[in-house]
Amino acid sequence: QIMTRESGGEVRVASVDGTIYQVAQDGPSELDRGAVLTGGERIRTAKGSGAVIELADGSRVEMNERSEIRVTAPTSVSCR
């Protein structure tokens, strides 16, 4: 689990190369650069895709193809 240093910040999609989806019970929906993740979301990159997720403290999580993270709170993510 990766935690940010600041509380009250936001987790956002900093960049996308290919396709990144928010995974939900009613099906996946594509996310764009700049999307804000508030907590409880699972996001996944597609085959041949990558993304960078930026945490509130400015640190970044790089996602390779077919990887998934879950935003566990507005300021933390867990990686699979």
Side-chain angles (χ1 to χ4, degrees), residues 13-32:
V13 178
S15 67
V16 177
D17 179 16
T19 306
I20 185 170
Y21 294 98
Q22 179 177 338
V23 181
Q25 288 183 349
D26 58 346
S29 59
E30 193 170 340
L31 294 174
D32 294 320

Side-chain angles (χ1 to χ4, degrees), residues 33-71:
R33 180 177 174 265
V36 175
L37 309 170
T38 58
E41 294 102 332
R42 286 186 328 161
I43 58 174
R44 183 179 302 154
T45 53
K47 181 179 178 180
S49 299
V52 176
I53 307 304
E54 186 173 296
L55 307 180
D57 67 352
S59 60
R60 292 174 172 231
V61 177
E62 294 183 20
M63 297 178 68
N64 293 322
E65 69 175 334
R66 294 184 173 170
S67 58
E68 181 178 303
I69 65 170
R70 182 172 57 96
V71 179

